[in-house]
Amino acid sequence: MATLRIAAASAHFGRDLEFDLRRIAKLVADAREAGAGLLVLPDAALGGYLADLRHPDPDALPPALDPDDPLLKQVAELAAEMVVCVGYCEAGGDRRYNAAVCVTGDGVLGRHRKVHLPAGEVAAYDPGDRFDAFDTPAGRIGMLIDYDKTFPESARSLALDGAEIIACLSAWPTSITNRAPRMAQDRQSRLFDLYDCARAAENQVVVASSNQTGALGGMRFLGQAKVVGPGGDILARTWSKAGLAVAELDVAAEIANARRVLNHIGERRPGSYRAGSG
């Protein structure tokens, strides 16, 4: 039996890149102390998320980093033997992407650019165009960035590409249009948990879901980092607090057990589905 400890982080990040790097270093150290082989940090952990999702200020956007920026190399150095997924704003010529990179001390293992952009993000970012899984010392992993997980096709694409673990990096806020008096009653709080569990259960994979906490501008973030098993059960969670959700499991064995009787991937009927074209 080959067990893996997976840590999903709930923490606050802002525009101060040096502060963000120090916070990442602390989370990496905490995850290492907990024995984690995989750490999933939130979306926009380097540079923070948008301060206003409805009308982003073009003069106050997160700093855009090149794919080989020294800060990302420093994260890889901090990771050392651990696999670490981290979100940032990526510069691509005259375009900007909400992006994530997965690293170890040996370098980059995989990249993802957020494909599904909610209305406000369209003014700040360009969309990515693909979902790819990749091999790591922690197993085959695929990454999603917050709104991506709203679409079942996103996680399914990664599962079909052999992903055993889906890392969902988020900067997911409370409801902007219908704020609840308590976070536990917030519509987005309920959906955030629902999507995590549904994506794991329908694909029979492990989901490691990170998120930001605290506030930035008019945005208040949910936290609720968690690790979800391939049956859709939450194995560890932070609730709304900052910290790490850490779970230990034999990923391959848990997936095999979940698919022993009902194998969702193997029992699909692609010829019966509408592919859609727009």
Side-chain angles (χ1 to χ4, degrees):
M1 182 173 69
T3 61
L4 172 70
R5 283 198 175 188
I6 299 172
S10 180
H12 176 68
F13 297 91
R15 295 287 183 266
D16 186 335
L17 290 168
E18 291 304 319
F19 172 86
D20 293 340
L21 188 62
R22 290 194 299 271
R23 176 148 289 175
I24 289 171
K26 177 64 165 61
L27 288 166
V28 169
D30 289 347
R32 180 170 287 115
E33 185 175 353
L38 169 64
L39 170 63
V40 180
L41 295 164
D43 175 31
L46 284 169
Y49 187 59
L50 302 178
D52 185 337
L53 192 54
R54 286 180 289 190
H55 305 290
D57 181 351
D59 297 321
L61 297 178
L65 307 179
D66 290 329
D68 59 352
D69 189 279
L71 281 174
L72 294 172
K73 294 181 179 179
Q74 289 183 64
V75 174
E77 291 172 1
L78 290 168
E81 81 294 344
M82 195 184 309
V83 176
V84 175
C85 301
V86 61
Y88 69 107
C89 175
E90 180 181 289
D94 58 352
R95 298 186 176 187
R96 301 164 58 93
Y97 300 93
N98 191 340
V101 63
C102 184
V103 298
T104 67
D106 292 329
V108 173
L109 302 171
R111 296 183 181 274
H112 176 61
R113 289 172 171 173
K114 184 175 178 179
V115 173
H116 301 98
L117 304 181
E121 277 198 18
V122 173
Y125 302 110
D126 282 270
D129 60 5
R130 60 189 302 120
F131 296 98
D132 291 318
F134 47 90
D135 293 320
T136 80
R140 192 161 175 82
I141 294 175
M143 295 188 291
L144 302 177
I145 298 177
D146 37 44
Y147 195 44
D148 280 338
K149 72 180 177 185
T150 303
F151 299 84
E153 298 88 348
S154 304
R156 178 54 54 85
S157 295
L158 293 174
L160 290 172
D161 198 23
E164 302 164 301
I165 301 168
I166 295 179
C168 295
L169 297 80
S170 293
W172 196 290
T174 58
S175 177
I176 297 171
T177 57
N178 188 22
R179 293 191 182 274
R182 297 178 57 217
M183 190 176 290
Q185 300 170 333
D186 189 271
R187 176 175 179 270
Q188 290 301 322
S189 176
R190 179 178 62 83
L191 289 174
F192 187 81
D193 282 349
L194 175 65
Y195 295 144
D196 286 338
C197 294
R199 299 297 87 90
E202 67 197 6
N203 293 293
Q204 297 170 305
V205 297
V206 175
V207 167
S209 175
S210 62
N211 197 20
Q212 293 224 23
T213 58
L216 181 65
M219 307 285 279
R220 181 186 175 207
F221 301 103
L222 293 170
Q224 298 180 198
K226 66 182 72 65
V227 180
V228 186
D233 47 321
I234 296 175
L235 306 177
R237 68 189 307 165
T238 64
W239 300 99
S240 61
K241 297 180 180 179
L244 294 175
V246 181
E248 182 175 358
L249 68 161
D250 183 330
V251 174
E254 292 291 334
I255 290 174
N257 185 59
R259 296 177 180 178
R260 182 170 56 87
V261 177
L262 299 176
N263 186 324
H264 302 166
I265 298 296
E267 293 162 358
R268 294 178 312 116
R269 301 292 297 273
S272 299
Y273 310 144
R274 295 184 186 276
S277 58

Short mmCIF file of all heavy atoms in Angstrom, two decimals, residues 80-114:
data_model
loop_
_atom_site.label_atom_id
_atom_site.label_comp_id
_atom_site.label_asym_id
_atom_site.label_seq_id
_atom_site.Cartn_x
_atom_site.Cartn_y
_atom_site.Cartn_z
N ALA A 80 10.96 21.66 -2.99
CA ALA A 80 11.97 20.60 -2.87
C ALA A 80 11.38 19.26 -3.29
O ALA A 80 10.99 19.09 -4.43
CB ALA A 80 12.55 20.58 -1.46
N GLU A 81 11.27 18.31 -2.35
CA GLU A 81 10.76 16.97 -2.68
C GLU A 81 9.23 16.93 -2.78
O GLU A 81 8.67 15.95 -3.28
CB GLU A 81 11.22 15.97 -1.61
CG GLU A 81 10.39 15.94 -0.32
CD GLU A 81 10.47 17.22 0.53
OE1 GLU A 81 11.38 18.05 0.32
OE2 GLU A 81 9.61 17.38 1.42
N MET A 82 8.56 17.96 -2.33
CA MET A 82 7.09 18.00 -2.33
C MET A 82 6.57 18.47 -3.69
O MET A 82 7.23 19.22 -4.40
CB MET A 82 6.60 18.96 -1.22
CG MET A 82 5.14 18.84 -0.87
SD MET A 82 4.65 20.10 0.36
CE MET A 82 5.89 19.86 1.62
N VAL A 83 5.37 18.03 -4.04
CA VAL A 83 4.68 18.53 -5.23
C VAL A 83 3.79 19.68 -4.78
O VAL A 83 2.98 19.51 -3.86
CB VAL A 83 3.84 17.42 -5.89
CG1 VAL A 83 3.05 17.97 -7.08
CG2 VAL A 83 4.73 16.26 -6.34
N VAL A 84 3.94 20.83 -5.39
CA VAL A 84 3.19 22.03 -4.99
C VAL A 84 2.51 22.65 -6.19
O VAL A 84 3.15 22.90 -7.22
CB VAL A 84 4.12 23.06 -4.31
CG1 VAL A 84 3.35 24.35 -4.00
CG2 VAL A 84 4.73 22.49 -3.04
N CYS A 85 1.21 22.90 -6.07
CA CYS A 85 0.44 23.62 -7.09
C CYS A 85 0.16 25.02 -6.59
O CYS A 85 -0.30 25.19 -5.45
CB CYS A 85 -0.89 22.91 -7.38
SG CYS A 85 -0.73 21.20 -7.95
N VAL A 86 0.39 26.03 -7.41
CA VAL A 86 0.22 27.42 -6.98
C VAL A 86 -0.37 28.25 -8.12
O VAL A 86 -0.04 28.04 -9.29
CB VAL A 86 1.57 28.01 -6.50
CG1 VAL A 86 2.60 28.00 -7.61
CG2 VAL A 86 1.39 29.42 -5.95
N GLY A 87 -1.25 29.20 -7.78
CA GLY A 87 -1.89 30.04 -8.77
C GLY A 87 -1.27 31.42 -8.85
O GLY A 87 -0.77 31.96 -7.86
N TYR A 88 -1.30 32.01 -10.06
CA TYR A 88 -0.73 33.34 -10.28
C TYR A 88 -1.32 33.92 -11.56
O TYR A 88 -2.02 33.23 -12.31
CB TYR A 88 0.79 33.27 -10.38
CG TYR A 88 1.31 32.58 -11.62
CD1 TYR A 88 1.90 33.31 -12.65
CD2 TYR A 88 1.21 31.20 -11.78
CE1 TYR A 88 2.38 32.69 -13.80
CE2 TYR A 88 1.69 30.57 -12.92
CZ TYR A 88 2.26 31.32 -13.93
OH TYR A 88 2.73 30.70 -15.06
N CYS A 89 -1.05 35.19 -11.82
CA CYS A 89 -1.44 35.82 -13.08
C CYS A 89 -0.26 35.69 -14.03
O CYS A 89 0.85 36.15 -13.72
CB CYS A 89 -1.79 37.29 -12.85
SG CYS A 89 -2.14 38.19 -14.38
N GLU A 90 -0.51 35.05 -15.18
CA GLU A 90 0.58 34.77 -16.12
C GLU A 90 0.57 35.77 -17.27
O GLU A 90 -0.47 36.04 -17.88
CB GLU A 90 0.43 33.36 -16.67
CG GLU A 90 1.51 32.97 -17.67
CD GLU A 90 1.29 31.56 -18.20
OE1 GLU A 90 1.48 30.61 -17.43
OE2 GLU A 90 0.89 31.43 -19.38
N ALA A 91 1.75 36.30 -17.58
CA ALA A 91 1.91 37.18 -18.73
C ALA A 91 2.18 36.33 -19.96
O ALA A 91 3.03 35.44 -19.94
CB ALA A 91 3.07 38.15 -18.49
N GLY A 92 1.43 36.60 -21.02
CA GLY A 92 1.63 35.90 -22.29
C GLY A 92 1.64 36.90 -23.42
O GLY A 92 0.61 37.12 -24.05
N GLY A 93 2.77 37.54 -23.65
CA GLY A 93 2.82 38.63 -24.63
C GLY A 93 2.01 39.80 -24.11
O GLY A 93 2.20 40.27 -23.00
N ASP A 94 1.03 40.25 -24.92
CA ASP A 94 0.16 41.34 -24.46
C ASP A 94 -1.11 40.81 -23.81
O ASP A 94 -2.05 41.57 -23.56
CB ASP A 94 -0.19 42.26 -25.63
CG ASP A 94 -0.90 41.51 -26.77
OD1 ASP A 94 -0.96 40.26 -26.71
OD2 ASP A 94 -1.38 42.19 -27.70
N ARG A 95 -1.14 39.53 -23.49
CA ARG A 95 -2.29 38.91 -22.84
C ARG A 95 -1.96 38.53 -21.40
O ARG A 95 -0.80 38.41 -21.02
CB ARG A 95 -2.74 37.67 -23.62
CG ARG A 95 -3.19 37.98 -25.03
CD ARG A 95 -3.75 36.74 -25.71
NE ARG A 95 -4.28 37.04 -27.03
CZ ARG A 95 -4.95 36.17 -27.77
NH1 ARG A 95 -5.15 34.93 -27.33
NH2 ARG A 95 -5.41 36.52 -28.95
N ARG A 96 -3.03 38.35 -20.62
CA ARG A 96 -2.90 37.93 -19.22
C ARG A 96 -3.80 36.72 -19.02
O ARG A 96 -4.91 36.66 -19.54
CB ARG A 96 -3.35 39.06 -18.28
CG ARG A 96 -2.57 40.36 -18.43
CD ARG A 96 -3.31 41.51 -17.77
NE ARG A 96 -3.55 41.27 -16.37
CZ ARG A 96 -2.74 41.66 -15.39
NH1 ARG A 96 -1.62 42.31 -15.67
NH2 ARG A 96 -3.01 41.42 -14.13
N TYR A 97 -3.33 35.78 -18.22
CA TYR A 97 -4.10 34.56 -17.94
C TYR A 97 -4.16 34.32 -16.43
O TYR A 97 -3.17 34.55 -15.72
CB TYR A 97 -3.46 33.35 -18.61
CG TYR A 97 -3.34 33.45 -20.10
CD1 TYR A 97 -2.19 33.96 -20.70
CD2 TYR A 97 -4.39 33.05 -20.94
CE1 TYR A 97 -2.08 34.06 -22.07
CE2 TYR A 97 -4.28 33.15 -22.32
CZ TYR A 97 -3.13 33.66 -22.87
OH TYR A 97 -3.03 33.76 -24.24
N ASN A 98 -5.30 33.85 -15.98
CA ASN A 98 -5.39 33.33 -14.62
C ASN A 98 -4.83 31.92 -14.69
O ASN A 98 -5.42 31.04 -15.33
CB ASN A 98 -6.85 33.33 -14.16
CG ASN A 98 -6.99 33.05 -12.67
OD1 ASN A 98 -6.08 32.51 -12.05
ND2 ASN A 98 -8.13 33.40 -12.11
N ALA A 99 -3.68 31.69 -14.08
CA ALA A 99 -2.93 30.47 -14.36
C ALA A 99 -2.51 29.75 -13.09
O ALA A 99 -2.56 30.30 -11.98
CB ALA A 99 -1.69 30.81 -15.20
N ALA A 100 -2.09 28.50 -13.26
CA ALA A 100 -1.55 27.70 -12.18
C ALA A 100 -0.38 26.89 -12.70
O ALA A 100 -0.34 26.52 -13.88
CB ALA A 100 -2.62 26.76 -11.60
N VAL A 101 0.57 26.63 -11.82
CA VAL A 101 1.73 25.81 -12.18
C VAL A 101 1.95 24.80 -11.06
O VAL A 101 1.69 25.09 -9.89
CB VAL A 101 2.98 26.70 -12.40
CG1 VAL A 101 3.39 27.43 -11.13
CG2 VAL A 101 4.13 25.89 -12.94
N CYS A 102 2.38 23.62 -11.44
CA CYS A 102 2.69 22.56 -10.48
C CYS A 102 4.18 22.30 -10.54
O CYS A 102 4.73 22.06 -11.63
CB CYS A 102 1.89 21.30 -10.82
SG CYS A 102 2.11 19.95 -9.63
N VAL A 103 4.85 22.35 -9.38
CA VAL A 103 6.31 22.26 -9.36
C VAL A 103 6.80 21.32 -8.26
O VAL A 103 6.10 21.01 -7.31
CB VAL A 103 6.94 23.66 -9.12
CG1 VAL A 103 6.59 24.62 -10.24
CG2 VAL A 103 6.51 24.23 -7.76
N THR A 104 8.04 20.89 -8.43
CA THR A 104 8.86 20.34 -7.35
C THR A 104 10.20 21.07 -7.44
O THR A 104 10.38 21.95 -8.31
CB THR A 104 9.11 18.83 -7.50
OG1 THR A 104 9.93 18.61 -8.66
CG2 THR A 104 7.82 18.05 -7.63
N GLY A 105 11.13 20.68 -6.58
CA GLY A 105 12.45 21.28 -6.65
C GLY A 105 13.16 21.01 -7.96
O GLY A 105 14.09 21.73 -8.33
N ASP A 106 12.70 20.01 -8.71
CA ASP A 106 13.31 19.69 -10.00
C ASP A 106 12.78 20.55 -11.14
O ASP A 106 13.29 20.49 -12.26
CB ASP A 106 13.08 18.21 -10.35
CG ASP A 106 13.85 17.29 -9.43
OD1 ASP A 106 14.93 17.69 -8.96
OD2 ASP A 106 13.36 16.17 -9.16
N GLY A 107 11.70 21.32 -10.87
CA GLY A 107 11.16 22.19 -11.90
C GLY A 107 9.67 22.04 -12.11
O GLY A 107 8.96 21.52 -11.25
N VAL A 108 9.19 22.47 -13.28
CA VAL A 108 7.77 22.50 -13.59
C VAL A 108 7.30 21.12 -14.05
O VAL A 108 7.91 20.49 -14.92
CB VAL A 108 7.47 23.54 -14.70
CG1 VAL A 108 6.02 23.46 -15.15
CG2 VAL A 108 7.80 24.95 -14.19
N LEU A 109 6.18 20.67 -13.46
CA LEU A 109 5.58 19.39 -13.83
C LEU A 109 4.37 19.58 -14.75
O LEU A 109 4.09 18.74 -15.59
CB LEU A 109 5.14 18.65 -12.56
CG LEU A 109 6.24 18.36 -11.54
CD1 LEU A 109 5.62 17.82 -10.26
CD2 LEU A 109 7.25 17.38 -12.11
N GLY A 110 3.63 20.67 -14.55
CA GLY A 110 2.44 20.91 -15.35
C GLY A 110 1.96 22.33 -15.20
O GLY A 110 2.31 23.03 -14.24
N ARG A 111 1.16 22.78 -16.18
CA ARG A 111 0.61 24.14 -16.17
C ARG A 111 -0.86 24.10 -16.58
O ARG A 111 -1.31 23.17 -17.26
CB ARG A 111 1.37 25.05 -17.14
CG ARG A 111 2.82 25.28 -16.78
CD ARG A 111 3.49 26.26 -17.76
NE ARG A 111 4.89 26.48 -17.46
CZ ARG A 111 5.33 27.39 -16.59
NH1 ARG A 111 4.46 28.16 -15.95
NH2 ARG A 111 6.63 27.55 -16.37
N HIS A 112 -1.59 25.13 -16.15
CA HIS A 112 -2.99 25.27 -16.57
C HIS A 112 -3.35 26.74 -16.64
O HIS A 112 -2.96 27.53 -15.77
CB HIS A 112 -3.93 24.56 -15.59
CG HIS A 112 -5.38 24.75 -15.92
ND1 HIS A 112 -5.94 24.32 -17.11
CD2 HIS A 112 -6.39 25.34 -15.21
CE1 HIS A 112 -7.22 24.62 -17.12
NE2 HIS A 112 -7.52 25.23 -15.99
N ARG A 113 -4.08 27.11 -17.68
CA ARG A 113 -4.66 28.45 -17.79
C ARG A 113 -6.17 28.30 -17.67
O ARG A 113 -6.77 27.49 -18.38
CB ARG A 113 -4.31 29.08 -19.13
CG ARG A 113 -2.85 29.48 -19.27
CD ARG A 113 -2.53 29.94 -20.69
NE ARG A 113 -1.20 30.52 -20.78
CZ ARG A 113 -0.63 30.88 -21.93
NH1 ARG A 113 -1.28 30.68 -23.08
NH2 ARG A 113 0.58 31.42 -21.94
N LYS A 114 -6.76 29.07 -16.78
CA LYS A 114 -8.20 28.98 -16.52
C LYS A 114 -8.99 29.15 -17.82
O LYS A 114 -8.81 30.12 -18.55
CB LYS A 114 -8.59 30.06 -15.51
CG LYS A 114 -10.04 30.02 -15.07
CD LYS A 114 -10.28 31.06 -13.99
CE LYS A 114 -11.72 31.08 -13.54
NZ LYS A 114 -11.95 32.09 -12.47
#
